[in-house]
Amino acid sequence: MENIYTLTEDEKDVLQELMNVAYGSATAIVADMLQAFAYLSIPQISVMQTNELLKTFEELKSKSYFFSTQGFSGEFSGESAFFINEESANNLAKHLELEEKEDLDDAILELTNILTSTLTTKLAQEMETEVSFSLPNISKVPLEEITEVETFQEYSQVIVIDTDLNFKEQKINGKIFILTKDESILWLKTKLNTLLELLI
Amino acid sequence: MAKNKTQHSLRTLDIDTKIVSNIDNGIIVLDDELHIHYCNKWMRIHTNLKEENTFGKKIDTVFPNIKTKTLTRKIKTALKIKTPTFYSASTSGYLIPIKLNQIKSSKFQYMQQDVSIIPIDYENNLVSLIITDQTDISNTNAKLQENILKVKELNAQLIKEKELSELQHQRLLSSSRSAAMGEMISMIAHQWRQPLTLINTLISSIKLKNEMGVLDKTTMEESFGKIENTVKFLSDTINDFKDYFKPNKTKTEVNLDELFNKSIFFLKDEMLQLDIKYVQNIDATISITTYKNELIQSIINIFKNSIDAFKEHNTQHKVIAVSVENKNNTININIEDNAGGIEAEILNKVFDPYFSTKNKNGTGLGLYMCKTIITEHLGGDISINSSLNGTKVAIKLPKAI
Amino acid sequence: MKYLVTDDSKFARLNLIRSLKKLVGEDAPIYQAANGLEALKIVKNESPEIIFLDLNMPVMDGYEAIPKIKELHPKIKIIVVSADIQEKAQAMVLSLGADIHVQKPINIDKMQELIDI
């Protein structure tokens, strides 16, 4: 059976470029929030099955992760997942001069929120649609338990937009995954092709 | 036309106002320097905010617990990215301190809140804070977490107990083995007593005849012959015991008739002494694939129990009878005696470890070990039945494990 | 007037070229490069007067390319077009020799502004 949930090279190119721009804005805001400089990396885009996605987490070496998610809905719907390891989280706390442990969780939630909101809103704008966001939530998950995390079981096919958040000097690094469900992938393809057609 | 439109918008405005007044959420409008511009009825009811003395004031003067750095940051971010930012009850607890005066118990003293910070006016840098009571959910979550923890603990305990009981089981088995070894050794001793006596007698006889000068060559050679045979018998006994005592590493095809013959061989003498008749009714063609020595040990154990029962219960015509039924994939072995039976209360304990009715020598491990061997290693089943007359042990075994 | 558009994304290049063509006409000579190295080749061979340059590219990125381009062709006008709008990035780019830094994507009015300068 032909897999309809794949992106062509051209579609990927467009999506990558849109994400690039959205990501630039998001990072600038986060950089502002942290009063630090972010090294922008190129987002990697791929479409894959959820179980394949989980394999990519094996590359993440740290023992336990802060893992926060935020859902968004509209014509374009899905969920974002943000991973940050313990070391980076502690550096974030130090950098923001946070006093209590609860504040760190809150800061990570905020980081997720800003990243997702900006990314997804910008993306949505380019596609001439609107999205609304639900409350982000956070959990501290040891690497072994990631496969049991419910978020990943809901999606069969996901578009994975894999970007690194890189504040080199402050040693704060994270990874964002934007996950969209099957129907949204189709919707996305339509929109991307519309944009491509304008160029012809 | 125009009039209707105006009326319609006025009505809508009225509805908006009514909603804001009656909604079950707190609504506060702040600017990016935390001055209060508006708060709704819910806020006034739940806190001590009064219209007169709050407008224009900074929110942290009314609620000193609020961390201004964080709130300011969130408000400025919301205005900058033009989408809402949040406080989550699960990480922040509450923003506005509202004491809970409920009768039903709660883990929390203050209302737990989710707060959405929504940009509403970019010119004047205004945001609207929407406060939602999440106390119930937070309580449920807390209970859930507690229960999850409990379950994890119980699980860990169960695993520990399982390991412990497994350890005990292994210890019991090795005790059984030692006890069985002890029994075997006493059987060897028993087996050897008479032959050794015979050798002694023959040697004494030769010595005497020699001293008396009446030892002739024929008598001597006869005696030597008998001694050699007896020594061979002693050696064979040892070998047999050694062989049958080693646990098998591999399954072999075993002819049941021969198997029982071998088993009974060790107990022949004792049975003769006690005048126990042995009846073996086994089709000579029946064979199964199993661990030979382990099966022999179990059978010997069962025979020994019958023999010991006869020692206590002096039936007139003592009989031990063995028969085998040949089924499709299994065989049923029945070992029956008329040694007086086992009382009902005791019957269901016979397979328990450390249970014994024998006085001195009973270690009580025999049948426990039999059951373990038959069920765990030989893939079969063992059951025991009793009447006033005697006891019947039934062993079911697969033809191939 | 010759133009060079440098970006690793084909979509980005085509998008920019579309806006550009609306202002300078369909027949204007517009060259394309997918990274800094390719851009240098074209600068050497064709000497374009205006170059639109992305920062984040493989092989040779914008930061590395700017001084090299200026060395080859000091009068060339370098317009950095990037997703990275952090102030520090802007400052870096200008100090390396670029003339102006703008945020992607460029709309028609902005494009007009840039070309007129």
Side-chain angles (χ1 to χ4, degrees):
Chain A
M1 192 187 95
E2 198 199 289
N3 188 1
I4 49 172
Y5 300 125
T6 49
L7 295 176
T8 64
E9 279 309 307
D10 282 344
E11 286 166 354
K12 266 198 203 166
D13 189 28
V14 182
L15 185 58
Q16 184 146 338
E17 187 54 24
L18 295 179
M19 273 308 298
N20 221 0
V21 175
Y23 195 60
S25 301
T27 323
I29 294 176
V30 172
D32 197 41
M33 167 184 158
L34 294 179
Q35 294 291 298
F37 182 68
Y39 290 85
L40 244 62
S41 55
I42 303 171
Q44 301 299 317
I45 299 183
S46 36
V47 184
M48 56 174 96
Q49 306 261 40
T50 340
N51 53 358
E52 284 172 64
L53 173 67
L54 296 174
K55 283 196 207 133
T56 68
F57 296 148
E58 287 168 14
E59 294 171 37
L60 304 171
K61 296 259 163 62
S62 190
K63 251 201 157 174
S64 102
Y65 267 82
F66 285 97
F67 163 64
S68 55
T69 61
Q70 185 172 32
F72 55 91
S73 41
E75 279 182 301
F76 180 48
S77 70
E79 204 163 343
S80 72
F82 178 57
F83 279 76
I84 184 170
N85 67 22
E86 199 153 10
E87 194 196 322
S88 291
N90 289 329
N91 290 336
L92 179 66
K94 223 190 296 173
H95 187 75
L96 291 173
E97 288 166 17
L98 300 177
E99 288 143 12
E100 281 153 57
K101 194 187 162 281
E102 295 84 52
D103 291 346
L104 176 61
D105 285 2
D106 186 51
I108 294 174
L109 276 181
E110 221 174 287
L111 203 59
T112 311
N113 184 34
I114 296 171
L115 284 166
T116 329
S117 307
T118 330
L119 276 169
T120 329
T121 307
K122 266 258 139 133
L123 208 56
Q125 269 172 19
E126 313 263 19
M127 318 250 196
E128 288 155 20
T129 187
E130 278 179 58
V131 294
S132 68
F133 299 97
S134 41
L135 220 77
N137 51 52
I138 185 172
S139 45
K140 192 167 175 194
V141 186
L143 199 62
E144 316 88 61
E145 284 176 28
I146 282 182
T147 49
E148 291 159 19
V149 174
E150 264 182 52
T151 298
F152 296 124
Q153 289 167 6
E154 264 185 56
Y155 300 91
S156 51
Q157 286 281 1
V158 293
I159 294 184
V160 182
I161 305 173
D162 177 349
T163 355
D164 288 330
L165 188 66
N166 190 352
F167 290 95
K168 228 186 265 175
E169 271 117 46
Q170 292 75 17
K171 296 211 179 90
I172 299 171
N173 301 294
K175 250 182 166 8
I176 298 192
F177 294 91
I178 305 243
L179 313 170
T180 49
K181 263 190 186 145
D182 307 332
E183 304 90 56
S184 277
I185 296 178
L186 291 178
W187 181 90
L188 197 63
K189 282 167 74 76
T190 317
K191 286 293 174 176
L192 293 172
N193 280 305
T194 314
L195 289 169
L196 277 169
E197 271 159 33
L198 289 174
L199 297 174
I200 297 174
Chain B
M1 259 342 228
K3 199 174 174 195
N4 279 341
K5 228 179 164 185
T6 323
Q7 280 177 341
H8 177 75
S9 11
L10 282 175
R11 233 176 303 151
T12 324
L13 191 58
D14 202 28
I15 291 177
D16 286 343
T17 316
K18 286 201 173 116
I19 293 174
V20 167
S21 288
N22 294 297
I23 201 172
D24 191 18
N25 295 91
I27 302 180
I28 311 175
V29 176
L30 301 176
D31 62 32
D32 61 347
E33 287 177 356
L34 305 184
H35 299 113
I36 301 175
H37 287 247
Y38 170 81
C39 64
N40 73 341
K41 194 161 94 180
W42 189 100
M43 280 304 300
R44 292 197 296 273
I45 293 175
H46 284 88
T47 67
N48 57 4
L49 280 177
K50 290 192 191 74
E51 294 211 49
E52 320 83 64
N53 58 5
T54 48
F55 289 143
K57 271 208 181 132
K58 290 181 90 169
I59 195 168
D60 55 313
T61 50
V62 183
F63 303 114
N65 68 294
I66 293 182
K67 292 182 188 145
T68 52
K69 207 163 115 183
T70 311
L71 182 56
T72 312
R73 189 180 70 223
K74 284 188 195 275
I75 292 177
K76 290 201 163 140
T77 306
L79 287 164
K80 190 163 190 180
I81 66 176
K82 301 190 164 78
T83 50
T85 54
F86 307 91
Y87 280 96
S88 165
S90 57
T91 55
S92 308
Y94 61 87
L95 182 68
I96 310 289
I98 297 172
K99 255 207 173 139
L100 292 170
N101 292 317
Q102 289 168 310
I103 299 173
K104 67 175 182 205
S105 68
S106 165
K107 189 179 172 216
F108 308 99
Q109 250 197 325
Y110 290 92
M111 178 196 287
Q112 302 294 290
Q113 298 153 357
D114 275 343
V115 181
S116 301
I117 301 169
I118 304 175
I120 57 173
D121 185 336
Y122 296 106
E123 245 182 67
N124 300 305
N125 288 337
L126 295 178
V127 294
S128 168
L129 269 66
I130 314 283
I131 299 160
T132 313
D133 182 354
Q134 295 286 38
T135 312
D136 279 345
I137 294 184
S138 297
N139 268 323
T140 309
N141 272 344
K143 274 197 205 119
L144 195 62
Q145 286 307 315
E146 270 175 44
N147 283 340
I148 290 176
L149 224 74
K150 269 193 205 139
V151 170
K152 277 198 180 150
E153 275 171 28
L154 282 172
N155 258 351
Q157 230 181 2
L158 270 174
I159 290 175
K160 240 185 175 171
E161 277 173 22
K162 192 170 166 226
E163 283 173 8
L164 207 65
S165 115
E166 192 47 50
L167 203 63
Q168 269 181 344
H169 183 66
Q170 291 305 321
R171 282 206 196 115
L172 280 174
L173 283 183
S174 89
S175 293
S176 298
R177 293 236 148 84
S178 310
M181 174 119 82
E183 297 233 358
M184 287 280 181
I185 290 175
S186 74
M187 278 199 264
I188 294 175
H190 190 91
Q191 200 87 316
W192 273 21
R193 208 156 284 139
Q194 205 232 11
L196 285 174
T197 312
L198 179 60
I199 292 174
N200 238 356
T201 311
L202 287 167
I203 291 175
S204 304
S205 166
I206 293 173
K207 262 169 115 176
L208 192 61
K209 285 200 174 138
N210 194 29
E211 273 163 25
M212 294 203 319
V214 295
L215 182 64
D216 66 284
K217 205 171 172 205
T218 333
T219 320
M220 201 173 68
E221 280 178 2
E222 247 181 58
S223 303
F224 282 161
K226 281 191 189 153
I227 292 173
E228 273 174 7
N229 284 343
T230 314
V231 166
K232 183 166 185 302
F233 175 78
L234 291 172
S235 165
D236 283 349
T237 310
I238 288 280
N239 287 336
D240 282 345
F241 273 114
K242 252 175 60 189
D243 266 345
Y244 294 139
F245 201 77
K246 268 191 316 211
N248 297 117
K249 290 234 159 93
T250 54
K251 301 172 270 197
T252 52
E253 196 173 335
V254 169
N255 180 290
L256 284 178
D257 194 34
E258 281 172 30
L259 187 98
F260 270 91
N261 285 336
K262 279 208 178 87
S263 308
I264 209 71
F265 174 75
F266 298 114
L267 304 162
K268 244 189 354 205
D269 278 353
E270 205 176 350
M271 285 172 73
L272 202 62
Q273 267 181 24
L274 290 170
D275 201 17
I276 302 174
K277 183 170 173 207
Y278 176 65
V279 178
Q280 182 168 313
N281 192 359
I282 304 175
D283 186 338
T285 62
I286 306 178
S287 290
I288 64 170
T289 306
T290 190
Y291 295 103
K292 188 172 80 175
N293 289 352
E294 268 145 11
L295 184 54
I296 289 179
Q297 277 176 44
S298 303
I299 292 171
I300 289 179
N301 208 297
I302 296 168
F303 280 151
K304 282 231 80 189
N305 283 347
S306 294
I307 293 172
D308 289 338
F310 277 128
K311 286 186 187 155
E312 305 280 316
H313 201 271
N314 198 0
T315 318
Q316 225 180 3
H317 301 290
K318 306 188 184 75
V319 179
I320 297 180
V322 176
S323 63
V324 175
E325 288 165 32
N326 191 357
K327 303 275 176 171
N328 260 336
N329 295 319
T330 61
I331 50 139
N332 293 343
I333 301 172
N334 295 307
I335 304 173
E336 218 172 325
D337 68 36
N338 57 355
I342 304 174
E343 288 158 37
E345 313 89 72
I346 300 179
L347 197 61
N348 54 12
K349 292 199 213 151
V350 291
F351 289 118
D352 293 349
Y354 299 126
F355 177 81
S356 175
T357 54
K358 301 177 202 172
N359 297 336
K360 278 187 297 179
N361 301 319
T363 52
L365 291 170
L367 278 176
Y368 173 73
M369 193 175 88
C370 278
K371 184 165 183 191
T372 306
I373 290 176
I374 290 173
T375 51
E376 287 178 22
H377 300 191
L378 306 182
D381 222 355
I382 180 171
S383 59
I384 192 164
N385 262 315
S386 193
S387 65
L388 268 177
N389 222 356
T391 307
K392 176 161 127 187
V393 176
I395 301 176
K396 212 184 274 184
L397 288 174
K399 282 200 182 157
I401 306 175
Chain C
M1 190 77 87
K2 291 195 211 156
Y3 304 89
L4 172 57
V5 176
T6 314
D7 194 314
D8 59 322
S9 161
K10 190 169 92 177
F11 174 70
R13 293 197 303 267
L14 293 177
N15 228 358
L16 199 149
I17 291 173
R18 191 165 126 254
S19 301
L20 189 57
K21 277 193 175 163
K22 284 200 181 135
L23 295 173
V24 300
E26 283 294 323
D27 299 323
I30 304 177
Y31 300 95
Q32 297 186 43
N35 59 56
L37 197 61
E38 279 182 34
L40 279 174
K41 274 196 215 134
I42 296 178
V43 168
K44 212 195 289 184
N45 295 335
E46 309 291 341
S47 304
E49 282 98 345
I50 297 183
I51 172 172
F52 295 91
L53 185 66
D54 182 23
L55 287 176
N56 236 342
M57 297 180 292
V59 183
M60 185 192 294
D61 67 20
Y63 296 104
E64 208 186 321
I66 294 173
K68 294 203 163 109
I69 293 173
K70 272 292 190 196
E71 217 183 324
L72 276 177
H73 200 349
K75 292 244 188 84
I76 193 172
K77 183 157 145 196
I78 302 180
I79 303 173
V80 170
V81 185
S82 171
D84 193 346
I85 53 172
Q86 295 175 86
E87 270 178 37
K88 198 165 164 190
Q90 292 199 36
M92 231 197 279
V93 143
L94 294 173
S95 72
L96 282 169
D99 293 274
I100 193 165
H101 179 297
V102 290
Q103 185 184 13
K104 279 184 182 177
I106 312 179
N107 62 23
I108 286 271
D109 299 319
K110 187 76 186 176
M111 182 70 85
Q112 182 85 65
E113 243 182 77
L114 291 170
I115 307 184
D116 287 343
I117 298 171

